[in-house]
Amino acid sequence: MHELLNHPAAQAGLIPFLAGLAAAELFQRARLSGLAIIAGFAATVYLASDFDFYPLNASRKIILSGLACAALALIIDVLRLRWVGPLLLLLGGATTIWTALRILQQQEPQLMLQWGAACAAYVAILIWGMDKLLDQEPVRAASAGTALGIGTGGAALVGASGLLGQFGLALGSAAAAHLLIQLYTNQTLQTGRVFTLPLAMIAGLTGCIAVLGAKLPWYALIVLAGIPLAARLVPIPGGSVRIQSLLLVPLTSVFAIAAIYLTWRVAGDVPF
Amino acid sequence: MLKSAFTVLAISAALPLSALAADSYTIDPSHTYPHFSISHLGFSTMQGRFDKTSGSITLDRAAKTGLVEAAIETTSISTGFAKRDEHLRGPDFFNAAEFPSISYKSTAVHFKGDVPASVDGNLTILGVSKPVTLKIDAFNCGINPMSKKDTCGAAASAQIKRSDFGVKYGLPAIGDDVKLVFEIEAIKN
């Protein structure tokens, strides 16, 4: 058992999937199944890293931001604060700058501004894109979350960071657990901002730090940013959630695979 | 004339002995390489080194005091395999984009006779400072026959746990104990 818990694939795949599955089931009646995302992510952090925040480096800031976002989103969902959307974009941008600050400070002023602005914009776009999916069928957010997590994690893993890779893959696994319940029951399952906000924030920050601190090419982020948009725009037939999933999952997965492929072309094989 | 000479003597006597006898050196980056070794999954011991180190050393062998300051560029890591070096520079290990240098600053130099035997100091990795004592295994000073400059050389070693500095990726499969060996040359200023 100890060996299984120490295995990186179990830490980033199986365990967050099971944690997500349990959380989605447990909080279904409270209409907070979206807690699956932070449950899966927290399980991975517990096993692969820790909740020690000293020194507060970029990876630890991602963990802290993810947990804070989940708490904030929980309040927003419980109080049904629908008007906070634009504020969340500003929050995403500011959190990105805070997370990447020490890396940005090592750069020339012009590069610092360019990278800081681009990263903040990327995270804000992901938050906006995932937030827009809340107005549509929950299966769209779950499919987009699965692809965004796996795409970000896979690309970060290939781009030479195992830990950032695990962060992204944990999101994908937890979102896949949420999606699986919908597939199995053929019924929609509530997502909410408690699903979309931490997912977009953690995936966005992970992608940015993998670009700035490792070898993830910046244009892979453009491909990943297309996932929520694709999940929103593709027409799907009403009725069967299973058929909707079977249409959405392959489509969004194309973007995830493309991002991983682009990173592999630059970084080559995984060095570990 | 006699009065001036007396004044010089009086000032010299008033100065601390260390100020007169202390020699300061600049680390020679082309002959200074911090090496490390670490267990890889229990199968082998991987060796690596950092190619860029700078700093200064002050030694007062009469007063048996000294000061060592060194900065190591984390991007200069080299283990003989480029893909692994990329990974070691990344966020999982030395996080070079965020923490471009490792530093060591001494707090005390201990002598055996007139030769330094160990150095107490603080090693800072990933922004975490921990006390580390460097044992000096070899020490020699003299005139470099090529450059004709006063030069000192030393080999120092220490053992640390990487987890103490927050470098926890891959534990316990990749070893926690890291052996450090510093080969240092410094040229007198």
Side-chain angles (χ1 to χ4, degrees), chain A residues 6 50 52 54-55 57-60 102-103 106 160-164 166 212-215 267-269 271-272, chain B residues 81 83-84 86-87 89-92 95-100 125-129 165-166 168-172:
Chain A
N6 276 329
D50 52 37
D52 181 5
Y54 176 78
N57 59 24
S59 302
R60 287 174 172 149
R102 200 197 292 262
I103 301 175
Q106 316 294 334
S161 173
L163 184 61
L164 294 181
Q166 285 183 306
L212 298 178
K215 289 199 79 176
D269 292 332
F272 30 90
Chain B
F81 180 53
K83 287 296 293 183
R84 179 171 49 235
E86 272 173 24
H87 190 205
R89 283 184 202 109
D92 291 340
N95 201 355
E98 206 169 352
F99 298 96
I125 302 174
L126 299 183
V128 180
S129 294
F165 296 88
K168 294 180 180 175
Y169 183 79
L171 288 173

Side-chain angles (χ1 to χ4, degrees), chain A residues 79-124:
Chain A
L79 299 180
R80 296 172 192 264
L81 305 173
R82 297 292 291 173
W83 49 269
V84 293
L87 293 178
L88 296 180
L89 304 190
L90 287 175
L91 176 76
T95 306
T96 310
I97 299 299
W98 173 68
T99 303
L101 191 61
R102 200 197 292 262
I103 301 175
L104 294 172
Q105 282 172 334
Q106 316 294 334
Q107 310 302 324
E108 296 293 320
Q110 196 184 341
L111 266 183
M112 184 174 84
L113 287 173
Q114 277 176 10
W115 287 5
C119 265
Y122 174 66
V123 174

Side-chain angles (χ1 to χ4, degrees), chain A residues 137-140 142-143 178-189 235-251:
Chain A
E137 300 89 339
V139 71
R140 290 184 190 263
S143 302
H178 192 279
L179 186 63
L180 184 74
I181 295 174
Q182 298 188 61
L183 266 168
Y184 182 72
T185 59
N186 203 25
Q187 287 179 334
T188 57
L189 191 63
I236 53 172
S240 172
V241 173
R242 285 183 186 138
I243 292 172
Q244 291 173 345
S245 303
L246 290 175
L247 285 169
L248 284 163
V249 170
L251 176 82

Side-chain angles (χ1 to χ4, degrees), chain A residues 45 48 68 72 78 117 147 149 192:
Chain A
V45 170
L72 178 67
V78 169

Side-chain angles (χ1 to χ4, degrees), chain B residues 39-105:
Chain B
S39 166
H40 179 246
L41 310 176
F43 295 122
S44 63
T45 301
M46 298 309 300
Q47 315 279 340
R49 74 171 192 217
F50 293 92
D51 289 341
K52 289 183 184 169
T53 302
S54 59
S56 62
I57 296 169
T58 305
L59 281 180
D60 185 339
R61 296 169 83 165
K64 300 188 191 308
T65 59
L67 182 69
V68 179
E69 285 186 352
I72 302 163
E73 286 186 29
T74 45
T75 50
S76 72
I77 196 165
S78 170
T79 63
F81 180 53
K83 287 296 293 183
R84 179 171 49 235
D85 294 348
E86 272 173 24
H87 190 205
L88 290 170
R89 283 184 202 109
D92 291 340
F93 291 98
F94 289 102
N95 201 355
E98 206 169 352
F99 298 96
S101 73
I102 293 169
S103 66
Y104 185 80
K105 188 171 184 180

Side-chain angles (χ1 to χ4, degrees), chain B residues 2 4 8 14 31 36-37 39 50 59 73-75 101 103 113 117 126 134 143 149 157 165 179 188:
Chain B
L2 188 66
S4 305
V8 169
H31 294 94
F36 61 89
S37 52
S39 166
F50 293 92
L59 281 180
E73 286 186 29
T74 45
T75 50
S101 73
S103 66
L126 299 183
L134 296 173
I143 302 292
K149 289 178 179 170
S157 60
F165 296 88
K179 188 179 179 190
K188 194 172 179 181

